[in-house]
Amino acid sequence: MYFEDYVVGTRTEHPGRVVVGQGEIVEFARRFDPQFFHVDPAAASEGPYHGLIASGWHTAGLMMRLYADQYLSKVASLGGPGVDELRWHLPVRPGDILRLTTEILEANRSRSKPDRGLVRTRTELYNQDNTLVFSCIILNLIGARAPVS
């Protein structure tokens, strides 16, 4: 896909899934977010979430993997300048099965570098119960297939 292929209004429910394992929740949290409700199942069961939950940053990483594999251009991605409106709606728990949806909000060709454009995409993760657990708006620079005519 190139910049021209990102059509405003396109909403996609992507087919891939990721299963969240307890071991990976604990491993990620021990390394990057060592709060008790992420690293200690016994203590977490007595905590505010009544069980172990994934770090929000782990959830964001899982989203990024699905996003890179299923949505982002393999031939024209040029990185991105940021993320807006990042939200963790509900905790992600061991055994959750996450899926990605995307909606293209804007696609504007760069005036200063017309060989690319900026695409704004609403990105959402839903669990196996079809409950929204994570959302954000990602800004990506995408190379154009053809120069401006």
Side-chain angles (χ1 to χ4, degrees), residues 28 33 35 38 49 53-63 83-92 98 123 125 131-136:
F28 180 95
D33 190 359
Q35 298 179 75
H38 299 320
Y49 304 105
I53 63 169
S55 165
W57 297 111
H58 182 190
T59 302
L62 293 168
M63 177 282 302
V83 174
D84 295 331
E85 300 178 29
L86 188 140
R87 300 288 183 271
W88 295 287
H89 299 275
L90 285 176
V92 170
L98 305 179
T123 305
L125 282 182
T131 302
L132 178 66
V133 298
F134 175 89
S135 66
C136 65

Side-chain angles (χ1 to χ4, degrees), residues 50-146:
H50 308 290
L52 195 72
I53 63 169
S55 165
W57 297 111
H58 182 190
T59 302
L62 293 168
M63 177 282 302
M64 189 64 212
R65 183 57 195 241
L66 290 169
Y67 187 81
D69 288 349
Q70 298 182 40
Y71 173 77
L72 202 53
S73 174
K74 306 292 188 272
V75 296
S77 175
L78 301 171
V83 174
D84 295 331
E85 300 178 29
L86 188 140
R87 300 288 183 271
W88 295 287
H89 299 275
L90 285 176
V92 170
R93 299 181 181 277
D96 277 357
I97 303 168
L98 305 179
R99 66 179 173 80
L100 176 73
T101 68
T102 56
E103 180 183 3
I104 300 170
L105 302 176
E106 291 180 36
N108 298 304
R109 192 178 289 260
S110 171
R111 285 188 212 103
S112 62
K113 297 180 181 177
D115 64 331
R116 66 194 67 182
L118 181 67
V119 177
R120 291 183 73 239
T121 305
R122 180 185 324 282
T123 305
E124 299 172 330
L125 282 182
Y126 291 86
N127 67 16
Q128 67 282 354
D129 299 321
N130 203 34
T131 302
L132 178 66
V133 298
F134 175 89
S135 66
C136 65
I137 295 174
I138 300 178
L139 290 75
N140 290 107
L141 296 169
I142 306 292
R145 177 181 294 108

